[in-house]
Amino acid sequence: MLMPVRYAVVGAGWISQEAFLPAVPQTGNSRVTAIISGNREGAAQLAAFFSIDHVCDYQDFDALLRQDVVDAVYIAVPNPMHHDFAVRAANAGKHVMVEKPIAISEKEAIAMIDAAARNDVLLMTSYRLHNEPATLAALDVLRAGKIGEPISFSASFGFQSQTGNHRLKNEFWGGPLQDIGIYCINAARHVFEAEPVEVFAMAARPQNDQRFEEIDASIAVTLRFPQNRLAQFFCSFGVFDVDTYRVAGTEGELIMENGFRFDTPSRLIVKTKRNIDHISYDIHDQFAGQVQYFSQCILTGTRPEPDGEEGLADLKVLVAIEQSLRTGAPQPVSNPPRPGHPALSMLRRLPTTTRRLLL
């Protein structure tokens, strides 16, 4: 396959408009050649703005895949639709990048993984932070033992969600846990380089806020990891902007301020008895970084680190947390160890752009 890798964007909503479509021209090894959307008029406007050749409705997706116009698809439709589009794309021989959570059930995620393997294509879960400089620097600090053995992870991630957002709907498996809590789960797993074995969760929902008629506003979770390590996180669609995590070790502490969002600069603080280091990071285009990384994997035939199994690992934790919320009791989790974790070799520093069209 020759550069650039040709992508179809499935779902032309906010994340595609705000982040993915503007990012791809920054990569140098990728381009978008098709948009699949239920809003044909809006998709046509985006296609004209970004010089994209092909626009089609969801019902014409398979016909598009039969043409030689795309090599990979980026799936950014609501969560319950991930499985269907991913399996159809893989069966057509196209590589797949899918937004998180990878699917709404373990059965669907496994079917996506199996379809990719059966058709010899790559499946990547869209974990942009796995290529992000501050995140990788934090993990490198931990691996170097600069704060001793990590014992505790705690995170808070939340904002005020806007009325009408589809992530406030049960039918789309919406809620702060699936949308932003998953970042905290993923971070904890890689901070400890291990899989949680037990989860316990509590939720809160105000009675006088129409945004939370179908979903919980806030969720607090405790995860038990092997070797007497604990992680806790709070995620919410009903609080002032908060975005931070802390790792307490036997010999120091690591603090990441603005650790999860893609539109704010990050600051890494490393505290020990001897020193306090403050390291600031500029904003880089995290979507461009992950697209460039995935395209490189496609071009070289290299399996991406955040593969389908990585998405499945977080999904199984999400399902256990939901079961804990229903039962009021701790729930076991069983995931195999990951073969690898985000590494500095995956780092991408690509410039941001102001060229975007928001409909």
Side-chain angles (χ1 to χ4, degrees):
M1 183 186 298
L2 300 176
M3 287 200 307
V5 175
R6 303 167 299 172
Y7 284 84
V9 172
V10 184
W14 181 83
I15 197 66
S16 293
Q17 296 172 30
E18 174 68 26
F20 191 88
L21 287 169
V24 171
Q26 308 295 101
T27 65
N29 66 355
S30 317
R31 66 182 291 244
V32 177
T33 55
I35 298 179
I36 298 92
S37 173
N39 179 357
R40 188 65 176 261
E41 181 180 350
Q45 293 180 54
L46 291 166
F49 185 82
F50 288 104
S51 300
I52 297 168
D53 298 330
H54 303 274
V55 175
C56 72
D57 300 319
Y58 290 131
Q59 59 264 32
D60 297 321
F61 180 59
D62 296 309
L64 175 81
L65 295 178
R66 288 193 291 269
Q67 304 176 52
D68 183 22
V69 297
V70 302
D71 308 303
V73 301
Y74 167 67
I75 298 175
V77 289
N79 298 331
M81 301 167 68
H82 289 182
H83 160 264
D84 179 55
F85 282 105
V87 170
R88 289 158 66 188
N91 286 339
K94 309 302 180 183
H95 304 283
V96 178
M97 178 192 293
V98 60
E99 273 298 338
K100 59 205 160 303
I102 186 173
I104 63 171
S105 71
E106 183 177 347
K107 179 180 178 181
E108 287 191 353
I110 291 173
M112 294 162 67
I113 293 167
D114 289 346
R118 186 172 61 250
N119 293 285
D120 195 25
V121 297
L122 300 180
L123 171 62
M124 178 169 133
T125 313
S126 181
Y127 287 108
R128 53 183 169 77
L129 291 173
H130 289 211
N131 304 106
E132 195 270 324
T135 299
L136 294 173
L139 293 177
D140 194 53
V141 165
L142 297 173
R143 289 167 188 158
K146 293 183 179 179
I147 67 166
E149 291 294 324
I151 300 298
S152 167
F153 171 93
S154 59
S156 295
F157 191 15
F159 52 85
Q160 291 287 356
S161 184
Q162 297 300 309
T163 301
N165 192 305
H166 76 272
R167 292 174 178 84
L168 300 173
K169 299 293 185 181
N170 269 334
E171 64 180 298
F172 298 128
W173 203 41
L177 176 65
Q178 295 83 350
D179 189 54
I180 56 179
I182 193 171
Y183 287 93
C184 306
I185 295 167
N186 194 260
R189 292 177 47 246
H190 293 298
V191 161
F192 292 137
E193 295 190 334
E195 299 299 321
V197 296
E198 187 179 33
V199 303
F200 178 66
M202 300 181 70
R205 181 185 304 191
Q207 300 300 311
N208 58 350
D209 192 326
Q210 64 177 355
R211 294 176 299 171
F212 306 115
E213 293 176 351
E214 299 185 25
I215 65 163
D216 293 317
S218 305
I219 298 173
V221 180
T222 298
L223 305 96
R224 183 184 302 279
F225 283 80
Q227 300 176 4
N228 299 309
R229 295 171 294 180
L230 296 172
Q232 295 178 306
F233 70 86
F234 169 84
C235 59
S236 178
F237 278 168
V239 298
F240 181 77
D241 289 359
V242 59
D243 174 7
T244 185
Y245 64 84
R246 309 171 77 101
V247 183
T250 54
E251 299 175 20
E253 181 183 29
L254 179 149
I255 304 167
M256 180 70 80
E257 296 178 345
N258 298 328
F260 302 120
R261 296 180 60 158
F262 63 84
D263 56 354
T264 54
S266 297
R267 184 170 68 139
L268 175 62
I269 303 168
V270 181
K271 296 181 178 181
T272 65
K273 289 182 178 180
R274 296 180 300 276
N275 198 25
I276 301 178
D277 292 327
H278 297 256
I279 309 167
S280 296
Y281 292 85
D282 295 331
I283 297 176
H284 297 279
D285 195 316
Q286 296 179 20
F287 278 79
Q290 72 167 348
V291 175
Q292 186 188 71
Y293 169 78
F294 188 46
S295 290
Q296 184 178 359
C297 289
I298 292 170
L299 293 166
T300 60
T302 304
R303 187 183 183 95
E305 178 271 326
D307 53 15
E309 285 83 354
E310 172 73 354
L312 175 60
D314 280 338
L315 175 63
K316 290 172 72 174
V317 179
L318 292 177
V319 171
I321 291 170
E322 287 202 326
Q323 182 67 5
S324 178
L325 290 172
R326 283 191 292 268
T327 63
Q331 297 295 315
V333 183
S334 178
N335 272 324
R338 292 290 294 151
H341 299 273
L344 288 175
S345 61
M346 298 168 57
L347 188 151
R348 298 292 186 276
R349 287 191 177 94
L350 296 176
T352 59
T353 178
T354 58
R355 189 175 189 277
R356 54 180 43 84
L357 175 63
L358 299 177
L359 300 178

